[in-house]
Amino acid sequence: MIINLISGPRNISTALMYAFAQHSKIKVVDEPFYAHYLIQTGLDHPGKEETIASMSSDVVEILDDIRSLDKKYEIVFLKNMAHHHIGLDWSYLKDIKNVFLIRNPKQLIASFAQVINDPTLQDIGLKHEADILDYVLEKGAFSPIVIDSNDVLKDPKRNLNYLCAQLNIPFEDRMLTWEKGPIPEDGVWAKSWYKNVHNSTGFSKQKTSERPLPEHCESLLAEAMPYFEKLEKYKIN
């Protein structure tokens, strides 16, 4: 079984990857299409050259590697960014279980602006996430699952238990905690993006949740909200 977590940046996607990495039957994969995305867009992200050098950017090769892992492990958990799907053939999404992770865009943008000063709609991935949801609703063999990070943070055990039930996999209490520091599956970009998770031992409210939105990002928030509201309609309760 392949579980595909589709998220925007500055969410709890890394914490969810860490949670699923604790599961006795799951192998996690960190952002397999990141190098592909950086080459496709030419964007100058922190650690760009190191990221490109560390992994394949060939989509066919990446998907072949994922399918090989699927044969080796009972469950494979992919942590993916929605915007990394640019230039991909989305047909691979039809036969896997897709989970869409959303976050209030005001919180997301305020957090992202601390790393990339002037984020765009492409950077935050919400439109891509909504477009992928439409595709999966039309083509997917499995109904998509939408979860809100704020719900997970309010009650991690209840929400992870319910998510696992939706995925038809057993919940394990060990998913709620992990040791401080990186995990072997981290991408090389972890040192630029994963500081909060590396300092954590479980799910906790992010400091960025209360960070004010920079004034120059207000137009981006207005642009992003319709896509968030579309995704929110499908979230599990």
Side-chain angles (χ1 to χ4, degrees), residues 177-197:
T177 58
W178 49 83
E179 294 184 1
K180 279 190 177 184
I183 60 174
E185 294 88 352
D186 282 350
V188 297
W189 52 88
K191 58 190 175 185
S192 299
W193 298 94
Y194 295 177
K195 181 180 177 181
N196 288 341
V197 178

Side-chain angles (χ1 to χ4, degrees), residues 210-221:
E210 306 301 330
R211 182 174 283 154
L213 182 75
E215 186 174 346
H216 71 275
C217 292
E218 289 179 358
S219 61
L220 175 58
L221 175 62

Side-chain angles (χ1 to χ4, degrees), residues 21-224:
Q22 310 311 308
H23 197 288
S24 61
K25 297 181 179 180
I26 295 179
K27 172 67 176 177
V28 301
V29 180
D30 192 10
E31 300 185 24
F33 302 115
Y34 196 6
H36 159 81
Y37 171 74
L38 290 173
I39 291 172
Q40 285 278 311
T41 62
L43 291 171
D44 188 21
H45 279 198
K48 173 183 177 179
E49 297 305 324
E50 188 178 3
T51 296
I52 292 172
S54 73
M55 63 194 304
S56 175
S57 59
D58 185 304
V59 173
V60 173
E61 184 178 325
I62 295 165
L63 290 173
D64 283 345
D65 288 345
I66 290 169
R67 293 185 185 106
S68 294
L69 289 174
D70 187 33
K71 293 177 182 176
K72 184 177 180 180
Y73 296 93
E74 187 171 339
I75 305 167
V76 177
F77 178 95
L78 309 177
K79 175 205 163 193
N80 266 313
M81 295 291 104
H83 48 297
H84 290 184
H85 287 71
I86 186 172
L88 294 184
D89 177 357
W90 290 356
S91 61
Y92 91 98
L93 298 168
K94 293 189 293 184
D95 300 317
I96 62 180
K97 295 192 174 183
N98 297 287
V99 177
F100 294 80
L101 178 65
I102 60 174
R103 183 187 185 191
N104 183 305
K106 182 177 181 180
Q107 297 171 341
L108 188 162
I109 295 167
S111 176
F112 195 86
Q114 302 303 305
V115 182
I116 304 294
N117 181 58
D118 194 17
T120 66
L121 190 64
Q122 175 176 288
D123 290 323
I124 64 171
L126 265 173
K127 182 181 185 305
H128 296 85
E129 204 168 352
D131 289 345
I132 295 169
L133 177 73
D134 282 341
Y135 179 86
V136 173
L137 285 169
E138 180 182 357
K139 306 285 189 178
F142 300 98
S143 297
I145 300 167
V146 179
I147 57 173
D148 191 313
S149 61
N150 287 319
D151 293 336
V152 175
L153 292 174
K154 287 176 185 175
D155 193 340
K157 184 170 184 177
R158 179 178 182 273
N159 281 276
L160 280 184
N161 214 314
Y162 189 67
L163 174 58
C164 286
Q166 295 295 303
L167 293 167
N168 198 28
I169 63 175
F171 168 78
E172 295 180 357
D173 281 324
R174 67 172 73 188
M175 297 172 70
L176 298 173
T177 58
W178 49 83
E179 294 184 1
K180 279 190 177 184
I183 60 174
E185 294 88 352
D186 282 350
V188 297
W189 52 88
K191 58 190 175 185
S192 299
W193 298 94
Y194 295 177
K195 181 180 177 181
N196 288 341
V197 178
H198 287 172
N199 287 327
S200 72
T201 57
F203 291 97
S204 58
K205 186 177 180 181
Q206 298 168 306
K207 294 178 181 178
T208 57
S209 296
E210 306 301 330
R211 182 174 283 154
L213 182 75
E215 186 174 346
H216 71 275
C217 292
E218 289 179 358
S219 61
L220 175 58
L221 175 62
E223 191 178 9

